[in-house]
Amino acid sequence: MDIYDLNEFLKLSAILHYQLSAEEVGRRNILNVMLGQKPFPDEHRKVLGQVLAYLDKAYGYRSRSLGPVAVLHPIRASVLMSKIQGEPCFLDLLTILLHDKLEDLTPKAMGQKQWEESEKQFQEIMDSLHPALREQLKQRLDLLTREEEMGETYNQYVGRLLDMPTNQKELVRVKLADRLDNTLDM
């Protein structure tokens, strides 16, 4: 898929939306779209499937301000990033799928009861990860969260991402896939 091709992006959206709207969500099919024919360890596929289930339940039927169902955004962004990477990185895929978690999946947005249920599911996923990977993912999600309550503007946020140490430069790739999906969604 050419990333800049709007027709391909719309086809991708339609395919993923169809899989999400099926009576039983086609997570295996979504993973196949995300990873293509690239080899990927079964244990990583299993965790990614659990993350997709978590996102599906956590976002529910909520829509984004731009119109489509909210869960479509992290999935499409992960597909875009995976297509760019050549060989997808497990940590990068987890990061892009969960990049909006701390901003979008809050008690205020979801309601306290649904949030508590979702947090339990999220914690089970985190507990299944190797401790070093879990720490890296937590750190990445924190870094990718804009600190609006601290008065951080969007430009300051992007500047903070670009000024990160070289061991976190992968986050720029994640942010670019996020922005590309947002832009194409318009």
Side-chain angles (χ1 to χ4, degrees):
M1 168 179 139
D2 290 328
I3 308 246
Y4 52 84
D5 186 330
L6 186 57
N7 287 327
E8 289 298 315
F9 177 78
L10 293 173
K11 271 198 268 184
L12 171 65
S13 291
I15 289 166
L16 293 173
H17 196 305
Y18 176 75
Q19 293 300 325
L20 290 167
S21 64
E23 195 168 311
E24 187 174 315
V25 175
R27 290 186 194 94
R28 181 179 294 134
N29 294 339
I30 292 171
L31 282 174
N32 287 338
V33 171
M34 186 185 305
L35 300 171
Q37 299 300 314
K38 300 167 187 164
F40 211 68
D42 287 341
E43 63 270 13
H44 292 173
R45 284 179 181 269
K46 179 181 176 192
V47 173
L48 291 174
Q50 292 168 336
V51 170
L52 290 173
Y54 160 75
L55 291 172
D56 187 44
K57 183 174 181 179
Y59 279 109
Y61 294 106
R62 286 188 289 148
S63 294
R64 300 184 77 203
S65 59
L66 297 172
V69 291
V71 71
L72 195 55
H73 168 63
I75 296 170
R76 276 192 322 222
S78 68
V79 172
L80 293 172
M81 192 177 74
S82 177
K83 300 241 182 235
I84 293 169
Q85 279 186 315
E87 246 184 78
C89 168
F90 182 52
L91 179 57
D92 288 353
L93 289 173
L94 289 172
T95 303
I96 191 77
L97 283 168
L98 296 166
H99 75 276
D100 282 336
K101 182 207 180 303
L102 299 177
E103 293 173 5
D104 292 353
L105 303 177
T106 64
K108 182 179 177 184
M110 302 170 68
Q112 187 66 33
K113 184 177 183 202
Q114 184 186 2
W115 180 79
E116 287 173 5
E117 291 171 6
S118 292
E119 273 304 291
K120 183 179 176 198
Q121 187 179 8
F122 177 73
Q123 196 54 54
E124 288 171 5
I125 293 167
M126 294 298 280
D127 290 344
S128 76
L129 300 175
H130 184 277
L133 181 67
R134 181 173 47 238
E135 273 312 304
Q136 285 180 296
L137 181 59
K138 282 181 186 177
Q139 182 182 29
R140 284 176 163 208
L141 296 180
D142 286 341
L143 290 169
L144 282 168
T145 301
R146 188 169 136 207
E147 298 171 1
E148 287 182 87
E149 66 281 347
M150 306 282 259
E152 184 177 44
T153 67
Y154 188 76
N155 287 340
Q156 290 170 328
Y157 163 68
V158 171
R160 179 171 54 85
L161 288 178
L162 293 174
D163 287 340
M164 283 186 286
T166 54
N167 67 341
Q168 291 296 339
K169 289 297 183 189
E170 299 85 13
L171 292 182
V172 173
R173 189 172 47 229
V174 168
K175 190 62 187 170
L176 288 172
D178 170 39
R179 296 310 311 159
L180 180 60
D181 182 71
N182 285 334
T183 302
L184 291 172
D185 215 7
M186 290 182 189

